Amino acid sequence: MANDDLIFRVQRLYAAIGAVEEADISKFMPKVINDGHRIGFNQDWSGGFSEAELANFAHSLIHNIASLEGHIKKWATQNGQDKAKVDDAFNSSLALKIIKDLWNIEKHPYPPRDGGHSGKSPRADKIEGQLQLTTRAEKGSFVGLTFTPQGVPKILGDGTAKVIISGDILDKDNNNIGGLHSTALEAVKVWESVLSDFGVKL
């Protein structure tokens, strides 16, 4: 079917998101420090992955987001849809422009010419495992972290927690212009909106 290749690429995109998120924080056991009087914990959210492996997960997500643009355009042309909507979505989304710039500097030397699509010459810095705590929208919601005596991470409150692979996005002057994980998810939402407008069921 005409949709098969596009849907498979979207599925790969969601798989890449899944690879940079883990909701079961009990999988991230800290190093327990017990001197006989006190118990402490040294927590590392990398999940045992090396710096290179963490970066590879992140750049796989970047690749899958950025490369989807051309495939959506091709699908639109083949299915009687207006591919200009893809360009309009890209041009109105700073998140998509930044993600594409990050993708391009994997292929071409930094810095990008004229600051890239975003005009900010973005680059990813300090890609690592991070704990993300999120409260609910209701007033009074809270979330916190503690450990059992055995060192198992435990969430307090009514919020949620997950470990994400993320990093800072810096511009050419080393100013922080956003988080990699949140920027990527914002970019994904734009493509989801375009595909929904085209009637593609995900």
Side-chain angles (χ1 to χ4, degrees), residues 9 36 69 119 129 144 153 168 174 184:
R9 290 182 182 278
E69 178 183 5
D168 297 327
N174 292 323

Side-chain angles (χ1 to χ4, degrees), residues 2 6 11 18 22 26 33 40 63 68 106 110 136 140 142 144-145 151 153 157 166 169:
L6 181 60
Q11 290 171 342
E22 176 53 67
S26 67
I33 303 171
H63 166 82
L68 193 60
E106 285 292 289
Y110 185 88
R136 296 167 61 91
F142 79 99
L145 173 72
S166 188
I169 300 176

Side-chain angles (χ1 to χ4, degrees), residues 11-71:
Q11 290 171 342
R12 285 178 55 194
L13 173 56
Y14 290 145
I17 294 173
V20 299
E21 297 183 352
E22 176 53 67
D24 184 0
I25 67 168
S26 67
K27 294 180 178 180
F28 298 84
M29 294 292 291
K31 178 181 179 182
V32 179
I33 303 171
N34 188 343
D35 64 3
H37 301 286
R38 293 172 296 179
I39 297 177
F41 306 101
N42 183 2
Q43 181 59 274
D44 175 11
W45 301 109
S46 69
F49 293 109
S50 68
E51 182 179 351
E53 289 170 324
L54 293 171
N56 193 54
F57 286 127
H59 284 287
S60 176
L61 177 57
I62 290 169
H63 166 82
N64 286 349
I65 296 170
S67 64
L68 193 60
E69 178 183 5
H71 295 283

Side-chain angles (χ1 to χ4, degrees), residues 75-131:
W75 182 93
T77 300
Q78 293 175 337
N79 290 271
Q81 297 286 349
D82 183 7
K83 70 176 183 179
K85 291 182 178 181
V86 182
D87 291 326
D88 291 342
F90 179 84
N91 291 331
S92 63
S93 172
L94 179 59
L96 276 175
K97 292 176 183 177
I98 288 175
I99 291 298
K100 190 165 186 178
D101 286 343
L102 294 176
W103 184 48
N104 282 337
I105 64 173
E106 285 292 289
K107 301 180 291 181
H108 307 290
Y110 185 88
R113 184 172 57 186
D114 299 323
H117 296 277
S118 67
K120 297 180 179 296
S121 299
R123 60 183 179 85
D125 186 55
K126 297 180 181 177
I127 297 175
E128 61 187 1
Q130 302 174 1
L131 177 66

